[in-house]
Amino acid sequence: MTPRRDTVQQRAIRQAIESAGRPLSVQEIFETAADEAPGLGMRTVYRVVNRLLDDEFIAPVSVPGMADLYELASVAEKHHHHFRCESCDRVFDVDGCPGGLKRMLPDGFTLAGHEVSLWGRCADCG
Ligand SMILES: [Zn+2]
Ligand SMILES: [Zn+2]
């Protein structure tokens, strides 16, 4: 018995996100998954991405000036930051955190969180 088309498409989408090693846009998920699931459409990608968000299998990543990206929830829960290549528009995870940001706050302020966005050119783009 061949698996249902829907199952093949869902698996291809999950695998695209799992194997990327960096946050992906819906367009990138579509391009990667379409190789494994011919006939895949963007509407299906959006539907499956929303289900994976509901299931907390993936988490949204917001990078200034870009549409939402998605990464595995298991990656998202470990504090990290992102780098956007201005040449190819890909976004990568970066290790480490500058930390010590509480020092920037005026007296009496409480820090609840922070985001740090890096950008430039990736190694492929030189
Ligand atoms: Zn690049
Ligand atoms: Zn940080």
Side-chain angles (χ1 to χ4, degrees):
M1 205 181 96
T2 52
R4 286 171 54 224
R5 197 173 128 209
D6 204 44
T7 313
V8 172
Q9 293 183 335
Q10 280 185 47
R11 191 187 305 139
I13 289 166
R14 286 173 68 118
Q15 277 174 358
I17 298 167
E18 280 174 323
S19 62
R22 62 182 189 84
L24 296 182
S25 65
V26 170
Q27 180 67 32
E28 287 172 321
I29 294 168
F30 167 72
E31 286 165 8
T32 309
D35 289 341
E36 303 299 321
L40 182 67
M42 281 294 273
R43 281 178 56 175
T44 302
V45 178
Y46 277 108
R47 185 166 48 81
V48 173
V49 162
N50 281 325
R51 190 181 309 154
L52 294 174
L53 281 169
D54 284 346
D55 291 347
E56 297 182 359
F57 178 74
I58 61 173
V61 172
S62 62
V63 171
M66 297 193 78
D68 262 357
L69 305 166
Y70 300 94
E71 65 188 4
L72 291 174
S74 58
V75 171
E77 73 190 20
K78 280 187 64 187
H79 183 79
H80 68 283
H81 296 291
H82 296 106
F83 177 100
R84 177 171 64 86
C85 175
E86 292 178 305
S87 177
C88 64
D89 252 358
R90 290 183 297 173
V91 172
F92 301 87
D93 291 340
V94 291
D95 288 332
C97 172
L101 300 175
K102 275 186 201 157
R103 285 196 309 263
M104 295 167 67
L105 296 184
D107 277 350
F109 284 53
T110 304
L111 186 67
H114 68 265
E115 289 189 2
V116 176
S117 274
L118 308 175
W119 60 88
R121 290 171 85 89
C122 73
D124 287 343
C125 295

